[in-house]
Short mmCIF file of all heavy atoms in Angstrom, two decimals:
data_model
loop_
_atom_site.label_atom_id
_atom_site.label_comp_id
_atom_site.label_asym_id
_atom_site.label_seq_id
_atom_site.Cartn_x
_atom_site.Cartn_y
_atom_site.Cartn_z
N ASN A 15 -8.14 -0.26 3.64
CA ASN A 15 -7.24 0.82 4.03
C ASN A 15 -5.76 0.29 4.08
O ASN A 15 -5.06 0.43 5.13
CB ASN A 15 -7.70 1.40 5.40
CG ASN A 15 -8.84 2.26 5.33
OD1 ASN A 15 -8.92 3.26 4.65
ND2 ASN A 15 -9.99 1.75 5.85
N ARG A 16 -5.36 -0.24 2.97
CA ARG A 16 -3.94 -0.72 2.85
C ARG A 16 -3.53 -0.71 1.34
O ARG A 16 -4.37 -0.64 0.52
CB ARG A 16 -3.81 -2.13 3.46
CG ARG A 16 -4.68 -3.18 2.68
CD ARG A 16 -4.72 -4.49 3.39
NE ARG A 16 -5.45 -5.53 2.62
CZ ARG A 16 -5.71 -6.74 2.99
NH1 ARG A 16 -5.32 -7.15 4.21
NH2 ARG A 16 -6.30 -7.60 2.16
N VAL A 17 -2.22 -0.81 1.16
CA VAL A 17 -1.68 -1.03 -0.19
C VAL A 17 -1.07 -2.40 -0.25
O VAL A 17 -0.26 -2.74 0.64
CB VAL A 17 -0.66 0.10 -0.54
CG1 VAL A 17 -0.03 -0.22 -1.92
CG2 VAL A 17 -1.30 1.43 -0.58
N MET A 18 -1.45 -3.19 -1.19
CA MET A 18 -0.96 -4.58 -1.38
C MET A 18 -0.03 -4.63 -2.54
O MET A 18 -0.08 -3.89 -3.50
CB MET A 18 -2.13 -5.50 -1.64
CG MET A 18 -3.18 -5.51 -0.51
SD MET A 18 -2.66 -6.48 0.89
CE MET A 18 -2.72 -8.15 0.22
N ARG A 19 0.92 -5.61 -2.46
CA ARG A 19 1.82 -5.94 -3.60
C ARG A 19 1.60 -7.40 -3.96
O ARG A 19 1.71 -8.28 -3.12
CB ARG A 19 3.23 -5.61 -3.23
CG ARG A 19 4.23 -6.02 -4.33
CD ARG A 19 5.62 -5.44 -4.08
NE ARG A 19 6.22 -6.15 -2.94
CZ ARG A 19 7.11 -5.52 -2.15
NH1 ARG A 19 7.56 -4.31 -2.42
NH2 ARG A 19 7.61 -6.19 -1.10
N TRP A 20 1.39 -7.62 -5.21
CA TRP A 20 1.20 -8.99 -5.71
C TRP A 20 2.29 -9.28 -6.71
O TRP A 20 2.40 -8.54 -7.77
CB TRP A 20 -0.15 -9.18 -6.35
CG TRP A 20 -1.32 -9.06 -5.39
CD1 TRP A 20 -1.66 -7.90 -4.69
CD2 TRP A 20 -2.18 -10.02 -4.90
NE1 TRP A 20 -2.71 -8.14 -3.91
CE2 TRP A 20 -3.04 -9.41 -4.02
CE3 TRP A 20 -2.38 -11.41 -5.27
CZ2 TRP A 20 -4.13 -10.16 -3.45
CZ3 TRP A 20 -3.35 -12.13 -4.63
CH2 TRP A 20 -4.27 -11.48 -3.73
N CYS A 21 3.14 -10.33 -6.57
CA CYS A 21 4.06 -10.68 -7.63
C CYS A 21 3.30 -11.43 -8.69
O CYS A 21 2.24 -12.07 -8.44
CB CYS A 21 5.19 -11.61 -7.01
SG CYS A 21 6.12 -10.80 -5.77
N GLN A 22 3.85 -11.44 -9.91
CA GLN A 22 3.20 -12.13 -11.04
C GLN A 22 3.05 -13.61 -10.68
O GLN A 22 3.97 -14.24 -10.29
CB GLN A 22 4.04 -11.95 -12.31
CG GLN A 22 4.17 -10.52 -12.83
CD GLN A 22 2.94 -10.05 -13.59
OE1 GLN A 22 1.95 -10.87 -13.69
NE2 GLN A 22 2.88 -8.86 -14.12
N GLY A 23 1.80 -14.09 -10.80
CA GLY A 23 1.57 -15.49 -10.58
C GLY A 23 1.27 -15.87 -9.13
O GLY A 23 1.02 -17.03 -8.90
N ALA A 24 1.46 -14.97 -8.24
CA ALA A 24 1.29 -15.26 -6.81
C ALA A 24 -0.18 -15.57 -6.46
O ALA A 24 -1.15 -14.95 -7.05
CB ALA A 24 1.75 -14.11 -5.93
N LYS A 25 -0.40 -16.43 -5.57
CA LYS A 25 -1.74 -16.72 -5.04
C LYS A 25 -2.29 -15.80 -3.98
O LYS A 25 -3.47 -15.72 -3.70
CB LYS A 25 -1.76 -18.21 -4.55
CG LYS A 25 -1.44 -19.24 -5.61
CD LYS A 25 -2.45 -19.19 -6.80
CE LYS A 25 -2.09 -20.31 -7.82
NZ LYS A 25 -2.97 -20.17 -9.00
N GLU A 26 -1.32 -15.05 -3.36
CA GLU A 26 -1.69 -14.10 -2.37
C GLU A 26 -0.71 -12.93 -2.41
O GLU A 26 0.37 -13.05 -2.92
CB GLU A 26 -1.81 -14.71 -0.97
CG GLU A 26 -0.45 -15.19 -0.44
CD GLU A 26 -0.59 -15.80 0.96
OE1 GLU A 26 -1.61 -16.40 1.28
OE2 GLU A 26 0.39 -15.61 1.76
N GLY A 27 -1.17 -11.82 -1.91
CA GLY A 27 -0.30 -10.64 -1.86
C GLY A 27 0.29 -10.39 -0.53
O GLY A 27 0.12 -11.18 0.38
N MET A 28 1.01 -9.28 -0.40
CA MET A 28 1.54 -8.93 0.88
C MET A 28 1.24 -7.46 1.12
O MET A 28 1.11 -6.66 0.14
CB MET A 28 3.10 -9.12 0.94
CG MET A 28 3.90 -8.27 0.01
SD MET A 28 5.65 -8.50 0.12
CE MET A 28 5.98 -7.85 1.80
N ILE A 29 1.10 -7.10 2.36
CA ILE A 29 0.76 -5.72 2.72
C ILE A 29 2.11 -4.94 2.74
O ILE A 29 3.05 -5.31 3.50
CB ILE A 29 0.12 -5.63 4.10
CG1 ILE A 29 -1.16 -6.40 4.15
CG2 ILE A 29 -0.12 -4.16 4.50
CD1 ILE A 29 -1.82 -6.55 5.52
N VAL A 30 2.20 -3.90 1.97
CA VAL A 30 3.41 -3.13 1.90
C VAL A 30 3.35 -1.79 2.59
O VAL A 30 4.32 -1.18 3.00
CB VAL A 30 3.88 -2.88 0.40
CG1 VAL A 30 4.33 -4.21 -0.19
CG2 VAL A 30 2.82 -2.25 -0.40
N VAL A 31 2.06 -1.31 2.70
CA VAL A 31 1.85 -0.05 3.45
C VAL A 31 0.56 -0.21 4.27
O VAL A 31 -0.45 -0.67 3.71
CB VAL A 31 1.68 1.15 2.54
CG1 VAL A 31 1.44 2.43 3.31
CG2 VAL A 31 2.95 1.29 1.59
N ASP A 32 0.61 0.19 5.54
CA ASP A 32 -0.51 0.22 6.40
C ASP A 32 -0.90 -1.16 6.90
O ASP A 32 -0.08 -1.96 7.27
CB ASP A 32 -1.67 0.95 5.73
CG ASP A 32 -2.65 1.48 6.78
OD1 ASP A 32 -2.64 1.01 7.88
OD2 ASP A 32 -3.41 2.37 6.41
N GLY A 33 -2.30 -1.44 6.80
CA GLY A 33 -2.77 -2.65 7.43
C GLY A 33 -3.04 -2.43 8.92
O GLY A 33 -3.25 -3.35 9.67
N ASN A 34 -3.07 -1.18 9.33
CA ASN A 34 -3.29 -0.83 10.76
C ASN A 34 -4.71 -0.29 11.02
O ASN A 34 -4.93 0.45 11.96
CB ASN A 34 -2.25 0.19 11.23
CG ASN A 34 -0.85 -0.43 11.12
OD1 ASN A 34 -0.54 -1.38 11.79
ND2 ASN A 34 -0.03 0.20 10.29
N GLY A 35 -5.61 -0.49 10.10
CA GLY A 35 -6.93 -0.04 10.25
C GLY A 35 -7.10 1.40 9.83
O GLY A 35 -6.11 2.12 9.60
N GLU A 36 -8.33 1.90 9.71
CA GLU A 36 -8.58 3.32 9.29
C GLU A 36 -8.16 4.26 10.34
O GLU A 36 -8.39 4.05 11.51
CB GLU A 36 -10.06 3.42 8.94
CG GLU A 36 -10.40 4.85 8.47
CD GLU A 36 -11.93 5.01 8.15
OE1 GLU A 36 -12.56 3.98 8.01
OE2 GLU A 36 -12.33 6.17 8.03
N GLY A 37 -7.53 5.33 9.93
CA GLY A 37 -7.10 6.34 10.95
C GLY A 37 -6.33 7.44 10.24
O GLY A 37 -6.13 7.46 9.06
N GLN A 38 -5.83 8.36 11.09
CA GLN A 38 -5.18 9.53 10.63
C GLN A 38 -3.64 9.56 10.93
O GLN A 38 -2.97 10.47 10.65
CB GLN A 38 -5.80 10.84 11.20
CG GLN A 38 -7.25 10.96 10.87
CD GLN A 38 -7.90 12.16 11.50
OE1 GLN A 38 -7.30 12.81 12.33
NE2 GLN A 38 -9.13 12.54 11.10
N GLN A 39 -3.20 8.45 11.55
CA GLN A 39 -1.75 8.42 11.84
C GLN A 39 -0.93 8.15 10.64
O GLN A 39 -1.45 7.79 9.52
CB GLN A 39 -1.50 7.28 12.89
CG GLN A 39 -2.30 7.44 14.19
CD GLN A 39 -2.04 8.70 14.87
OE1 GLN A 39 -0.89 9.13 15.03
NE2 GLN A 39 -3.06 9.37 15.28
N ALA A 40 0.37 8.31 10.72
CA ALA A 40 1.31 8.18 9.52
C ALA A 40 1.27 6.75 8.96
O ALA A 40 1.62 6.56 7.83
CB ALA A 40 2.66 8.56 9.96
N ASN A 41 0.91 5.76 9.82
CA ASN A 41 0.88 4.35 9.40
C ASN A 41 -0.55 3.93 9.14
O ASN A 41 -0.86 2.69 9.18
CB ASN A 41 1.53 3.45 10.44
CG ASN A 41 0.87 3.45 11.77
OD1 ASN A 41 -0.03 4.25 12.02
ND2 ASN A 41 1.21 2.53 12.63
N GLN A 42 -1.46 4.85 8.86
CA GLN A 42 -2.84 4.50 8.60
C GLN A 42 -3.36 5.29 7.41
O GLN A 42 -2.73 6.26 6.98
CB GLN A 42 -3.75 4.85 9.84
CG GLN A 42 -3.42 4.01 11.10
CD GLN A 42 -4.30 4.42 12.20
OE1 GLN A 42 -4.38 5.59 12.61
NE2 GLN A 42 -5.03 3.45 12.82
N PHE A 43 -4.44 4.78 6.88
CA PHE A 43 -5.11 5.42 5.76
C PHE A 43 -6.64 5.65 6.07
O PHE A 43 -7.15 5.00 7.00
CB PHE A 43 -5.10 4.56 4.43
CG PHE A 43 -3.77 4.45 3.78
CD1 PHE A 43 -3.20 3.21 3.58
CD2 PHE A 43 -3.08 5.53 3.39
CE1 PHE A 43 -1.98 3.08 2.96
CE2 PHE A 43 -1.87 5.51 2.78
CZ PHE A 43 -1.26 4.23 2.55
N GLY A 44 -7.20 6.54 5.30
CA GLY A 44 -8.65 6.72 5.25
C GLY A 44 -9.06 6.65 3.83
O GLY A 44 -9.13 7.73 3.13
N ASP A 45 -9.28 5.48 3.29
CA ASP A 45 -9.73 5.28 1.88
C ASP A 45 -8.61 5.62 0.92
O ASP A 45 -8.67 6.69 0.27
CB ASP A 45 -10.95 6.07 1.57
CG ASP A 45 -12.14 5.64 2.39
OD1 ASP A 45 -12.09 4.59 3.03
OD2 ASP A 45 -13.20 6.36 2.38
N PRO A 46 -7.56 4.83 0.80
CA PRO A 46 -6.53 5.14 -0.20
C PRO A 46 -7.07 4.90 -1.61
O PRO A 46 -7.83 3.97 -1.83
CB PRO A 46 -5.44 4.03 0.09
CG PRO A 46 -6.19 2.91 0.75
CD PRO A 46 -7.31 3.61 1.49
N VAL A 47 -6.66 5.83 -2.53
CA VAL A 47 -7.25 5.77 -3.87
C VAL A 47 -6.14 5.67 -4.91
O VAL A 47 -5.83 4.59 -5.39
CB VAL A 47 -8.13 7.02 -4.13
CG1 VAL A 47 -8.80 6.93 -5.47
CG2 VAL A 47 -9.20 7.15 -3.08
N GLY A 48 -5.49 6.75 -5.26
CA GLY A 48 -4.54 6.72 -6.35
C GLY A 48 -3.15 6.42 -5.89
O GLY A 48 -2.77 6.69 -4.82
N LEU A 49 -2.35 5.73 -6.85
CA LEU A 49 -0.98 5.38 -6.52
C LEU A 49 -0.09 5.96 -7.66
O LEU A 49 -0.44 6.02 -8.81
CB LEU A 49 -0.84 3.83 -6.54
CG LEU A 49 -1.69 3.05 -5.56
CD1 LEU A 49 -1.33 1.56 -5.71
CD2 LEU A 49 -1.40 3.49 -4.06
N SER A 50 1.15 6.24 -7.27
CA SER A 50 2.13 6.68 -8.27
C SER A 50 3.53 6.55 -7.73
O SER A 50 3.74 6.58 -6.52
CB SER A 50 1.89 8.24 -8.62
OG SER A 50 2.85 8.63 -9.59
N PHE A 51 4.51 6.22 -8.62
CA PHE A 51 5.91 6.13 -8.25
C PHE A 51 6.64 7.33 -8.84
O PHE A 51 6.33 7.87 -9.88
CB PHE A 51 6.54 4.87 -8.87
CG PHE A 51 6.20 3.58 -8.13
CD1 PHE A 51 5.55 2.60 -8.74
CD2 PHE A 51 6.68 3.44 -6.82
CE1 PHE A 51 5.24 1.40 -8.08
CE2 PHE A 51 6.35 2.26 -6.13
CZ PHE A 51 5.65 1.21 -6.79
N ASP A 52 7.71 7.77 -8.15
CA ASP A 52 8.60 8.74 -8.73
C ASP A 52 9.86 7.95 -9.29
O ASP A 52 9.91 6.70 -9.17
CB ASP A 52 9.02 9.83 -7.76
CG ASP A 52 9.83 9.31 -6.51
OD1 ASP A 52 10.30 8.19 -6.54
OD2 ASP A 52 9.86 10.07 -5.52
N ARG A 53 10.86 8.68 -9.80
CA ARG A 53 11.95 8.02 -10.44
C ARG A 53 12.87 7.32 -9.45
O ARG A 53 13.66 6.44 -9.81
CB ARG A 53 12.78 9.07 -11.22
CG ARG A 53 12.01 9.63 -12.38
CD ARG A 53 12.88 10.66 -13.16
NE ARG A 53 12.10 11.16 -14.37
CZ ARG A 53 12.68 12.09 -15.19
NH1 ARG A 53 13.84 12.63 -14.94
NH2 ARG A 53 11.94 12.55 -16.20
N GLN A 54 12.75 7.74 -8.16
CA GLN A 54 13.55 7.04 -7.14
C GLN A 54 12.90 5.85 -6.54
O GLN A 54 13.42 5.17 -5.66
CB GLN A 54 13.88 8.09 -6.01
CG GLN A 54 14.94 9.11 -6.43
CD GLN A 54 14.40 10.12 -7.36
OE1 GLN A 54 13.28 10.59 -7.16
NE2 GLN A 54 15.19 10.41 -8.36
N GLY A 55 11.66 5.50 -7.04
CA GLY A 55 10.93 4.35 -6.53
C GLY A 55 10.07 4.62 -5.31
O GLY A 55 9.58 3.70 -4.70
N ASN A 56 9.97 5.90 -4.91
CA ASN A 56 9.11 6.22 -3.81
C ASN A 56 7.60 6.09 -4.22
O ASN A 56 7.29 6.41 -5.35
CB ASN A 56 9.35 7.60 -3.32
CG ASN A 56 10.77 7.80 -2.76
OD1 ASN A 56 11.17 7.07 -1.83
ND2 ASN A 56 11.54 8.78 -3.26
N LEU A 57 6.80 5.58 -3.32
CA LEU A 57 5.39 5.38 -3.58
C LEU A 57 4.59 6.50 -3.03
O LEU A 57 4.74 6.81 -1.81
CB LEU A 57 4.91 4.02 -3.03
CG LEU A 57 3.45 3.70 -3.19
CD1 LEU A 57 3.15 3.44 -4.65
CD2 LEU A 57 3.07 2.48 -2.32
#
């Protein structure tokens, strides 16, 4: 229940969204699936 970012060649990633366990709050997910960016870089 998080979104990770991995730089090219990195041995580990970083949490960019969530990481607060499963839930319904704005800083939580319940099974994140698809990802997309818009032209302004919003995820």
Side-chain angles (χ1 to χ4, degrees):
N15 288 294
R16 64 189 183 183
V17 175
M18 301 283 290
R19 178 170 64 208
W20 295 66
C21 296
Q22 294 280 2
K25 299 300 182 183
E26 63 180 36
M28 65 177 294
I29 301 171
V30 292
V31 181
D32 200 342
N34 298 299
E36 181 179 344
Q38 299 177 353
Q39 303 302 312
N41 65 346
Q42 293 179 307
F43 288 124
D45 297 345
V47 183
L49 303 178
S50 183
F51 282 117
D52 64 18
R53 292 181 179 179
Q54 286 73 45
N56 297 304
L57 178 67

